[in-house]
Amino acid sequence: MTILIIGGSGFLGAELVRQAATAGNATAATFATKPGNAPGVAWHALDLRDPECIETVMAEVGPRFVVNATSGGSDWAVTAEGPVRLAMAAAKYGCRLVHVSSDAVFSGARVHYDESCLPDPVTPYGAAKAAAETGIRLVCPDAVVARTSLIIGDRRSVHVRLVHDLVAGVRNGALFTDDIRCPVHVADLAASLLELAAGEANGVHHLSGADAVSRHELGVLVAGRDGLDASRLLSGLRAASGLPGALDVRLDGRTTQRNLHTTLRGARQFLTAGA
């Protein structure tokens, strides 16, 4: 079977490519600016704003499974419209689609969110992600929409890189103690997405870590794992910063986890020194 990873040169995409290829699957991947270097992987340039480009890649690869791990930020054409174009192509070619969404679709007003909760975004990025979810489920009802949280791993993770930069003094700022999420390890997330792709489930699933931690606690945990001086990480309150976005969003993925073989570890577990 052939697996196509959309956004395969990104942080999550690269881990998806690695795991898919290591498992012996025929693997293809797309990139926006520069292909990855995973051996034995067929790379294709792709612009999600271009329906003809999507059609061309899908026809050339002929995948059985497609995992969309792209991140276009608040660019509506890429983040909101692009995944819907991809879903239309997946429906046309009869392949299974897993789309990676975000906890940014929620406002934080209710704090705890399970798979039945409807999006109520408060940022342009969250709105684009919510629009993509809606469009995908309309045009490709058998698709999986997998919401996740902060993705952690090595310094390719923007969150880990931020901690290193703050400790090194190359960036200024504070990590918020009132901004709470449920971080997930990139390897756990990728394994879960591939498991969902190979299964028969559809609809919305939550793939987040078991621990709810603040951005500051997450930074301290990263510093401890990586041998950094956590005392250099300043703390602050997001509520006092004027920055837009939700404060406390905790994805409840217990229903999804019960049906997965992959364990989604909490940050306090996977960031323990030596883990």
Side-chain angles (χ1 to χ4, degrees), residues 11 13 32 73-74 122 134 200:
F11 176 47
S74 59
V122 292
T134 301
E200 298 180 354

Side-chain angles (χ1 to χ4, degrees), residues 152-176:
I152 309 301
D154 58 22
R155 289 184 69 175
R156 290 174 295 175
S157 163
V158 295
H159 311 292
V160 173
R161 191 161 59 248
L162 172 62
V163 172
H164 279 254
D165 288 349
L166 289 171
V167 170
V170 298
R171 289 183 65 174
N172 297 318
L175 296 176
F176 299 128

Side-chain angles (χ1 to χ4, degrees), residues 30-262:
T30 72
F31 64 94
T33 56
K34 183 180 179 181
N37 55 11
V41 175
W43 290 92
H44 301 263
L46 179 65
D47 184 345
L48 282 177
R49 298 168 297 183
D50 185 345
E52 291 186 6
C53 186
I54 294 172
E55 284 271 339
T56 298
V57 171
M58 292 289 281
E60 287 182 2
V61 175
R64 182 177 177 187
F65 307 122
V66 178
V67 181
N68 179 27
T70 56
S71 178
S74 59
D75 186 328
W76 190 267
V78 176
T79 302
E81 297 174 356
V84 180
R85 296 188 187 97
L86 183 63
M88 293 171 67
K92 176 180 177 179
Y93 286 93
C95 51
R96 183 165 169 77
L97 173 65
V98 175
H99 170 74
V100 181
S101 190
S102 167
D103 57 11
V105 302
F106 296 123
S107 68
R110 60 181 297 163
V111 179
H112 298 277
Y113 294 87
D114 64 20
E115 289 88 346
S116 69
C117 294
L118 297 178
D120 62 339
V122 292
T123 64
Y125 172 67
K129 279 293 195 181
E133 288 189 9
T134 301
I136 288 167
R137 298 186 69 191
L138 283 173
V139 304
C140 194
D142 292 334
V144 170
V145 170
R147 296 177 183 141
T148 192
S149 190
L150 310 182
I151 306 174
I152 309 301
D154 58 22
R155 289 184 69 175
R156 290 174 295 175
S157 163
V158 295
H159 311 292
V160 173
R161 191 161 59 248
L162 172 62
V163 172
H164 279 254
D165 288 349
L166 289 171
V167 170
V170 298
R171 289 183 65 174
N172 297 318
L175 296 176
F176 299 128
T177 57
D178 60 344
D179 188 336
I180 298 172
R181 298 294 186 273
C182 297
V184 64
H185 194 280
V186 65
D188 297 347
L189 177 57
S192 298
L193 291 167
L194 293 173
E195 186 177 338
L196 285 169
E200 298 180 354
N202 57 26
V204 176
H205 297 267
H206 284 181
L207 300 177
S208 60
D211 298 331
V213 300
S214 72
R215 301 268 184 164
H216 186 265
E217 182 181 358
L218 177 63
V220 170
L221 288 168
V222 168
R225 182 198 64 178
D226 295 351
L228 306 176
D229 182 1
S231 68
R232 294 183 61 84
L233 297 173
L234 302 180
S235 63
L237 293 174
R238 181 166 187 152
S241 71
L243 293 173
L247 289 179
D248 194 340
V249 177
R250 309 183 192 200
L251 293 184
D252 181 348
R254 288 175 293 181
T255 298
T256 296
Q257 180 68 87
R258 282 195 292 268
N259 296 307
L260 287 175
H261 294 295
T262 304

